[in-house]
Amino acid sequence: MRQLLFTPIAEEHLREIMEIYNYFVANTTVSFNTELLTLDQMRAMVIHPNPRFRSFAILEDQLVKGYVLITQHKNKQAYDITGEVTIYLNPAFVGQGIGSKALHFIEDIARSEGFHSLVATICIENDSSMGLFNKHGYTQAAYFKEVGIKFDRKLDIAVLQKMLNS
């Protein structure tokens, strides 16, 4: 694999990022959105007004292979030490080690921004994400049964957590 570049998400990346995300909306239980997002909705999801919450396009040879971001875990000040990490990859590039590199990268960003811990909320059917986060030291902190419904099925989620600055 050539060198991956993590660059702040800009307007020029939004359409490809939206297409990646909308693939998972339309075809999987990875995302709990049930309707495709518009560019404006995608922009609002990945570009946060608070500079601590960062979003990066994952590029190789100027091709968007995916994106990774830290978002606000909860909208209350006491939670400001915790961020929520999200990674989405173009399905054509899954299994190439990009997710691991993205996770290491975003953890370094989180540490530099003063986060104490990161959480990831994952549908338990998403074996590849569960495996990725477990492999990198995230442990299950919560399990919620039948909290979502998609494709006429009730779905469970797990919240995985990693302490960054213990």
Side-chain angles (χ1 to χ4, degrees), residues 32-44:
F32 274 32
N33 280 90
T34 57
E35 296 177 9
L36 301 180
L37 268 63
T38 65
L39 273 176
D40 287 339
Q41 291 169 320
M42 193 75 222
R43 184 180 298 107

Side-chain angles (χ1 to χ4, degrees), residues 39-55:
L39 273 176
D40 287 339
Q41 291 169 320
M42 193 75 222
R43 184 180 298 107
M45 187 160 54
V46 299
I47 299 176
H48 199 282
N50 183 330
R52 267 185 95 216
F53 303 112
R54 313 269 303 274
S55 303

